[in-house]
Amino acid sequence: MDIPNKINYSFEQNKKCEESNFDSVLKEKWNEAQKKGVFRYILNIRNSKVLDGKYQFFVQLNIDRGYSRRSPENITSMTQPFDEKSFNFTKIAPEEEIMNLDNGSEENVIAVNVSPIEYCHSLLLPQKCKKLPQVVTKYSLYKAVEIFSLSCSLDIRVIFNSLCAYASVNHLHWHLYYLKQRMLLEYIDLEDYAGNVKVLRNYPAKGYCIKYSDTQNIEDFITWAFLIIDYLQRKQIAHNVYITRAKSNNEEYGDLRIYIWARKFSTGIKDISAFNPAVCELFGHVTVKSEEVYNSLTEEYIANILEDITEECFSLVFDELKELIQKQMRKGNENSIKTQ
């Protein structure tokens, strides 16, 4: 995959720029779509709170998402092929598409999520017309990371749920949204693992992380992240990916982190009224759909769920994935020696 040179990959949030042209256009188009009644409901977060405890889980009550959203697809396998007859993003209404990333082309489209969890919740649809299943391609990861070079906001987040990890539609897509809440995983300490890959261990959802500051090279940044994702896909291990701005060593938000979690399978039709530990929940952003659940949630309850769905899978892939990374490093060193 070639990284286009025209993109200026500066992920540092400009202190003088709280909103780029991308941010302002996305917000304008998203708000317009909401006013025109394109959504299934008007975003209405009834309540929110940070739970007591060391993990700072941020919980939001969004009742409408539980009862007004489109019925999720019946996901049965990591290798489930794209199904033309099922709902897919070629069937969305034209007014749902609010932006494209390719100067008028329909190749890479941003569409509103008609059942939003947060402000400007939208869908990045890479190579939409190719009708690819919900499997990360290196190109789609590049397009997901590209959004951070287009946005000035500290609050932009880009996320991915694999099949059997609470993906609702089997058509390649990433979610993006703005979350103003500052989160623990923007700055939590990580452990060394192998090469430029770190381990998120001192947290209930154990996983892997690549920091842009450890690579300082966009192609390496994407290559290391994709190495892990592709490994999980080939092994048919369900996974979630969360990309966020992060603090750098000088405490400024000059870094970018890609978190990747291997996790237990979830198959069948998602229960949209229940507590579903998908990618946002693994990151610590918990959306619930009932007041009863909202009032009863504790840090211990969430932590136990996150640990249960990630601990076994984290341990299962730990040694083999480390060996794969080290093998890739040796290959890179050999290629470097040959070019000298």
Side-chain angles (χ1 to χ4, degrees):
M1 179 195 68
D2 294 326
I3 303 294
N5 293 325
K6 66 179 181 179
I7 301 300
N8 176 20
Y9 278 93
S10 175
F11 297 121
E12 293 191 20
Q13 195 266 350
N14 189 331
K15 293 180 180 179
K16 298 179 181 178
C17 169
E18 295 182 358
E19 188 173 275
S20 67
N21 183 59
F22 171 85
D23 295 315
S24 60
V25 171
L26 179 65
K27 291 176 182 179
E28 178 186 352
K29 297 294 185 182
W30 194 89
N31 289 329
E32 283 180 6
Q34 185 168 241
K35 289 177 183 177
K36 290 177 180 177
V38 174
F39 295 0
R40 287 177 172 259
Y41 54 84
I42 299 297
L43 179 64
N44 179 20
I45 296 173
R46 309 286 182 90
N47 216 337
S48 63
K49 61 184 176 183
V50 176
L51 294 182
D52 291 337
K54 62 181 179 179
Y55 301 121
Q56 302 166 39
F57 293 134
F58 182 57
V59 183
Q60 292 180 311
L61 176 61
N62 186 346
I63 294 174
D64 294 315
R65 183 165 169 85
Y67 301 99
S68 301
R69 64 171 298 182
R70 180 187 294 114
S71 296
E73 191 174 340
N74 183 20
I75 304 297
T76 59
S77 166
M78 286 282 293
T79 58
Q80 193 164 320
F82 179 90
D83 184 356
E84 189 85 48
K85 295 178 182 177
S86 297
F87 171 79
N88 62 75
F89 297 116
T90 66
K91 299 181 179 182
I92 61 176
E95 55 268 27
E96 292 181 37
E97 296 188 7
I98 58 173
M99 191 184 296
N100 67 72
L101 301 179
D102 298 303
N103 299 320
S105 164
E106 293 187 5
E107 173 80 352
N108 300 294
V109 172
I110 291 179
V112 297
N113 188 317
V114 295
S115 303
I117 61 169
E118 248 294 356
Y119 183 54
C120 281
H121 186 183
S122 302
L123 302 169
L124 168 64
L125 309 176
Q127 299 177 301
K128 183 191 75 170
C129 297
K130 287 191 174 182
K131 302 179 182 178
L132 301 172
Q134 181 66 347
V135 175
V136 174
T137 62
K138 195 171 185 182
Y139 179 82
S140 78
L141 177 58
Y142 154 66
K143 297 307 288 187
V145 170
E146 180 184 10
I147 286 173
F148 288 87
S149 72
L150 301 175
S151 171
C152 280
S153 176
L154 288 182
D155 307 326
I156 195 81
R157 325 285 176 150
V158 182
I159 62 180
F160 180 88
N161 294 315
S162 82
L163 299 177
C164 300
Y166 289 111
S168 297
V169 179
N170 187 19
H171 187 179
L172 182 55
H173 66 286
W174 292 71
H175 296 262
L176 61 129
Y177 66 99
Y178 293 94
L179 180 68
K180 286 186 175 293
Q181 182 70 24
R182 301 276 61 88
M183 302 293 289
L184 176 65
L185 265 59
E186 295 171 1
Y187 58 86
I188 191 171
D189 289 337
L190 303 166
E191 292 186 12
D192 289 337
Y193 176 54
N196 291 324
V197 180
K198 305 288 188 183
V199 165
L200 173 64
R201 194 187 291 275
N202 189 27
Y203 185 73
K206 293 178 176 59
Y208 302 91
C209 182
I210 299 89
K211 296 166 60 179
Y212 180 69
S213 58
D214 286 340
T215 62
Q216 289 299 338
N217 176 300
I218 186 60
E219 189 158 9
D220 286 347
F221 183 55
I222 291 172
T223 295
W224 283 115
F226 186 70
L227 183 74
I228 299 172
I229 297 169
D230 185 56
Y231 166 83
L232 296 174
Q233 289 176 157
R234 287 186 288 104
K235 293 291 184 178
Q236 296 183 39
I237 298 171
H239 52 280
N240 302 99
V241 183
Y242 200 108
I243 313 177
T244 183
R245 292 197 189 278
K247 286 187 176 181
S248 51
N249 293 332
N250 61 4
E251 297 299 308
E252 298 291 341
Y253 276 81
D255 209 355
L256 200 65
R257 293 186 179 190
I258 301 177
Y259 285 101
I260 304 164
W261 290 276
R263 47 91 49 77
K264 286 183 178 179
F265 269 49
S266 171
T267 57
I269 299 175
K270 179 166 60 176
D271 182 354
I272 57 179
S273 64
F275 172 80
N276 296 313
V279 62
C280 292
E281 286 70 27
L282 291 172
F283 184 71
H285 174 205
V286 180
T287 297
V288 296
K289 295 94 176 178
S290 84
E291 201 152 353
E292 181 181 1
V293 173
Y294 178 83
N295 291 330
S296 64
L297 276 183
T298 63
E299 179 182 83
E300 182 181 14
Y301 176 81
I302 295 174
N304 286 340
I305 289 178
L306 299 187
E307 185 172 350
D308 176 66
I309 65 173
T310 61
E311 181 79 36
E312 183 180 344
C313 293
F314 176 79
S315 300
L316 179 68
V317 304
F318 189 89
D319 292 335
E320 188 172 7
L321 184 55
K322 188 172 189 177
E323 184 178 336
L324 176 65
I325 294 168
Q326 291 172 338
K327 181 179 179 181
Q328 184 69 23
M329 290 171 59
R330 289 194 295 269
K331 187 185 299 184
N333 290 337
E334 288 171 4
N335 291 338
S336 177
I337 291 170
K338 288 178 182 178
T339 57
Q340 288 179 1

